[in-house]
Structures are given as structure tokens and as C-alpha cells.
Amino acid sequence: MDYYILDKTNIVKYLHGIKNVKNYFGEDSLTINEIGDGNLNFVFIIKSVEDTSKALILKQAVPYLRCVGEEFPLNRERMTYEIRALQSYSQQTPEHTPIIYDANEEMSAIVMQFLGEHIIMRKGLISQVIYPKFADHISTFLANNLFKTSSLHLDSTSKRKLINQFNSNTELCKLTEDFVFTFAFMEHDTNDSYSNNHESAQKLFADMKFKKAVLELKYKFMNQTDTLLHGDLHTGSIMLNKKDTFIIDPEFSFVGPFGFDVGALIGNLIMSYTSHIAQESEITYCEWLLDLIAEVLLKFENKFLELWDSQSESSLILPGYLNEKELQEFKKEFMLNILRDSVGYAGCKMTRRMFGIAGVEDIREISDLDVRNKAIKHTLKISKKFVKHYKEIEKIEDIINIIKG
């Protein structure tokens, strides 16, 4: 099938050619509405006229940056990697992956479950909603997907095939290299104008110890092929309610370092915390966020190790290579390195959100500038310690102590 851009005038005809979608809607009439509010792609909701509870999402990548237009070309193959990542997630953690009704790499389009009873996590956190099952859900997602696409689980041939499937996602990896690890830490035209003139930004741009540590983390990001990553796992890429959690939007997916996804998530949870502290929200909610961060990290580690302990052999370790004592020491050191890298990447993610092109609503949408500045300074205090001292972390309590100050 030759690629063409879908819109309200041609989507129904396109959908009628897809068996699973036809089976879902039957002979119902359909309504189409564009609902995307992201930077990259177009997102449509398709609903039955006769039964509005029947709805699906269609997402398509166009050959330019959606939020800017055709004057900013961008390879539409980013959707190829999103499709492949979602298909992988469907195998490892189907309970946390939207149901896929159709995936078409030639059309750079995917049709999937409409999560009408769920909201973007960031919106819920801003509204001080407590999600009692989230730590269990996200730790399951992270442990299973990170472990089962790594050399701790896969044979060598399968792992190299996986790398070949994902590591041509060069444009979006380059966006991360630029916007997460570089531009936000120096004078650059893409930085937020308010933040670029902020006193704290100027101090950051001159902090060479911080920037050298960022280079170490950036180098790992560019060269370490541990596992299949979501690549942009923040609270805007999670849809949930108090019963369910779904991971969406893995267009940045690639094979990279274990700690990157974990760090991205933790960094975003911390920014929710610093936002609520600055706004003097209910202390019980702030305490829940701290407990959540610790619980996510602990449950991730425990579940990852459970998977590892059940793995008799892999491309990394064969039975009989180490005795049990040395094997357990190796695993302990391995998990500590993941934790440390997660802290470093959390610091990069938090810092770049203060001054880079894409802030977080939790902080940038605070209307009172004094309160916003308080949140920025608190976030930077934590994030700079994370980046400069991530190699010194020994346990989860060290992380919580840095956050609490």
C-alpha cells in the first residue's frame, strides 16, 4: 500500500479495509474527530454513531513535525518503531498495553483501543489523585519489558535482531541527544525564553562538573545497547485510573541503557512532588508521592531479580559459570548500577524540563511566578545532586533523602 495522509475525508474508507476494525464496528456509521495534542503525530478518535461506547484510536505519523508543520520535515518511520514497541509490549505485558486492532508500517498508522475511562497520569497527579495500584503496575511493566528484551533473557542472535529492528530510529534518538542532554544546559535558541534568562539557568550553564557528568550519561545513551526502551517514559505517556495502567506513545523506542526509562519516570514523579511542595499542597499527597517513588524502585528491583532468578541460562551467563555466592554478588552489583544510572538520567530529565524547549505542565503552568521559581529551584537542587553524585548512590533511601533535602 502506498502511503497517504489520513484525514476526516478518507479515514472511514481506510478503516473499512481492515478486517478487525470492521468486525469491531460492524455496519455502524462512524464519526471521526482529531484529538491529538502532542508534538509529533495526528491522533483521531473513531466512534460508532449508533453506540458511542464503541470507539477506537487511529494514530498516524506524517512526514513533518505536527506542532510546526511541513516546514519542519521529520521522517515518518518513527511510527514504525512505535508499532514494533507496542507489539513487543503486547507480548510481555498485555495487561498494560492498549489492544492493537491494526498496525500498518507502510501507512505509518496504528489502530488501537480507546482508553476512554482513563486519563493522562500527569493530569491526575496535578489534581492530587492517588493511584494505589500504580507502583505494582509500572514495576511489572518495567521489569518484564526491560529484562525480557535484554541479554539476560534473550539468546545472542535474538538480541542482535532486536537491535537491528530498533536502532535505526536515528531522528528521534538525535532529538533526545540534543534536547535531553545538550541544548537545555547551554545558551540555545530552542530554550524557553523565560527560563533562558533565569538566574538559575545561567548558573547551570556555567556548572562544568554537572555538564561533564551529563556527557558520561549521554555517551551511555548513545552507545549502550542493554534493552528495548520506551525512550520517553514520562507521566504524559501513561494513561490510567485507579484500577488499570496503560503505557502509550513509544515512538522514541530504541535499544539503550537499562536506567533510562526508570530514570525518566522517577524524574517526572519527582517534578510532581516539587510542584506540590512549592504550591503547599496537602502534605499527605506529597508524602504519598515520596512513598510511590520508593515503592516503584523497590518493586522494580524485586521483580527484575525474580525474573533473573528464574532464568536458567542466557547469552550472558551459562549454568556453572559462577558459583551461587559470586552469581548473587554479580546480580547485586548489576542492580546497583541500574539504580545509579536511573538517578543520573532522572537528573538530566528534570533539569532539561526546567530550561529546555519542552517543560512540564506541573511546573511551567504555575501562574504565580514566585511559586514557579520556588519549584524550579527545588527541582534543580535535587537534579544537580542526582547528576553529579549518581555514582555514589548505594540504596533507595539515599535517593529519598536527596529529594527530601
Side-chain angles (χ1 to χ4, degrees):
M1 176 183 291
D2 292 334
Y3 174 85
Y4 60 93
I5 295 175
L6 295 167
D7 57 34
K8 289 183 180 182
T9 68
N10 58 22
I11 284 179
V12 172
K13 182 178 179 181
Y14 174 76
L15 294 174
H16 281 167
I18 300 171
K19 182 179 179 181
N20 287 341
V21 177
K22 280 282 288 181
N23 290 342
Y24 179 81
F25 285 115
E27 299 302 318
D28 294 1
S29 302
L30 304 179
T31 61
I32 313 292
N33 286 297
E34 212 278 308
I35 60 168
D37 60 357
N39 293 326
L40 296 180
N41 305 306
F42 282 89
V43 181
F44 300 88
I45 180 170
I46 300 100
K47 284 190 174 183
S48 162
V49 173
E50 290 79 7
D51 180 0
T52 55
S53 67
K54 291 162 68 174
L56 295 176
I57 291 293
L58 186 153
K59 184 174 181 181
Q60 186 185 40
V62 291
Y64 52 84
L65 192 62
R66 176 190 185 276
C67 64
V68 177
E70 295 184 34
E71 64 269 28
F72 196 111
L74 193 65
N75 195 322
R76 62 181 173 82
E77 285 185 359
R78 62 189 181 274
M79 184 56 69
T80 298
Y81 305 106
E82 175 163 356
I83 288 169
R84 293 175 183 177
L86 287 170
Q87 289 171 333
S88 177
Y89 297 161
S90 295
Q91 293 177 356
Q92 315 302 348
T93 50
E95 69 275 29
H96 301 307
T97 309
I99 298 168
I100 299 171
Y101 287 83
D102 185 67
N104 190 321
E105 292 188 8
E106 289 78 15
M107 282 292 289
S108 300
I110 186 167
V111 181
M112 55 189 166
Q113 177 183 2
F114 171 55
L115 302 173
E117 297 181 354
H118 305 75
I119 67 168
I120 295 293
M121 187 178 190
R122 176 167 286 122
K123 303 286 187 184
L125 295 181
I126 289 172
S127 298
Q128 299 185 53
V129 179
I130 288 176
Y131 296 104
K133 296 184 178 182
F134 176 71
D136 188 49
H137 291 171
I138 198 64
S139 57
T140 295
F141 173 84
L142 286 166
N144 278 273
N145 287 292
L146 295 181
F147 180 82
K148 291 180 180 179
T149 57
S150 77
S151 297
L152 305 179
H153 175 74
L154 296 174
D155 62 74
S156 183
T157 300
S158 298
K159 175 64 185 300
R160 295 186 186 283
K161 285 181 179 177
L162 182 77
I163 293 171
N164 289 337
Q165 275 189 303
F166 283 92
N167 277 19
S168 294
N169 196 4
T170 53
E171 279 193 313
L172 294 197
C173 285
K174 182 64 165 61
L175 287 179
T176 302
E177 291 160 16
D178 289 342
F179 292 112
V180 174
F181 296 109
T182 308
F183 294 164
F185 310 140
M186 61 186 291
E187 298 280 358
H188 198 272
D189 291 343
T190 62
N191 289 345
D192 175 75
S193 58
Y194 167 78
S195 301
N196 220 14
N197 295 310
H198 198 283
E199 177 188 359
S200 296
Q202 299 305 315
K203 289 180 180 178
L204 177 73
F205 299 162
D207 190 337
M208 296 302 149
K209 182 177 179 181
F210 171 88
K211 292 165 80 168
K212 283 175 66 179
V214 169
L215 286 183
E216 294 176 356
L217 292 158
K218 180 179 178 180
Y219 187 83
K220 289 183 182 183
F221 175 88
M222 297 171 72
N223 294 283
Q224 200 164 303
T225 55
D226 292 334
T227 187
L228 177 60
L229 297 173
H230 178 284
D232 197 27
L233 189 61
H234 53 71
T235 52
S237 299
I238 299 167
M239 293 194 71
L240 79 176
N241 56 30
K242 293 195 175 186
K243 297 186 298 181
D244 306 308
T245 302
F246 291 93
I247 311 305
I248 61 172
D249 296 345
E251 61 254 314
F252 282 81
S253 59
F254 77 110
V255 180
F258 277 115
F260 189 75
D261 276 358
V262 181
L265 174 66
I266 295 305
N268 275 262
L269 294 177
I270 294 170
M271 285 185 285
S272 178
Y273 171 80
T274 57
S275 170
H276 283 297
I277 288 290
Q279 295 177 85
E280 299 181 356
S281 301
E282 287 287 338
I283 190 63
T284 53
Y285 193 74
C286 298
E287 290 170 347
W288 174 76
L289 284 167
L290 280 180
D291 291 342
L292 177 65
I293 292 163
E295 188 180 3
V296 167
L297 289 169
L298 180 60
K299 286 189 171 183
F300 163 72
E301 180 177 337
N302 289 341
K303 291 176 182 181
F304 193 100
L305 284 171
E306 285 174 11
L307 290 166
W308 199 349
D309 288 341
S310 67
Q311 183 83 20
S312 59
E313 70 175 80
S314 67
S315 53
L316 180 68
I317 303 176
L318 294 179
Y321 182 79
L322 289 176
N323 65 33
E324 188 61 24
K325 179 176 180 293
E326 277 71 27
L327 178 59
Q328 293 306 317
E329 287 177 354
F330 178 81
K331 290 180 179 180
K332 182 178 179 181
E333 293 168 2
F334 196 97
M335 296 309 297
L336 179 57
N337 284 330
I338 293 178
L339 181 67
R340 286 172 171 169
D341 283 355
S342 299
V343 170
Y345 286 123
C348 291
K349 286 280 193 174
M350 292 161 64
T351 311
R352 82 97 171 187
R353 292 288 194 178
M354 297 304 99
F355 303 127
I357 190 173
V360 288
E361 184 181 355
D362 315 61
I363 293 174
R364 290 244 176 122
E365 296 302 313
I366 298 175
S367 57
D368 186 317
L369 291 186
D370 289 336
V371 176
R372 192 196 307 181
N373 284 334
K374 184 178 178 182
I376 290 172
K377 289 179 179 179
H378 190 183
T379 304
L380 286 174
K381 182 180 178 182
I382 297 167
S383 65
K384 288 204 268 189
K385 284 184 179 178
F386 275 10
V387 171
K388 291 179 182 178
H389 302 291
Y390 73 96
K391 294 179 184 177
E392 300 165 24
I393 296 295
E394 295 293 335
K395 53 188 182 299
I396 294 170
E397 289 79 2
D398 295 342
I399 301 167
I400 302 304
N401 288 336
I402 292 173
I403 298 171
K404 291 166 69 173

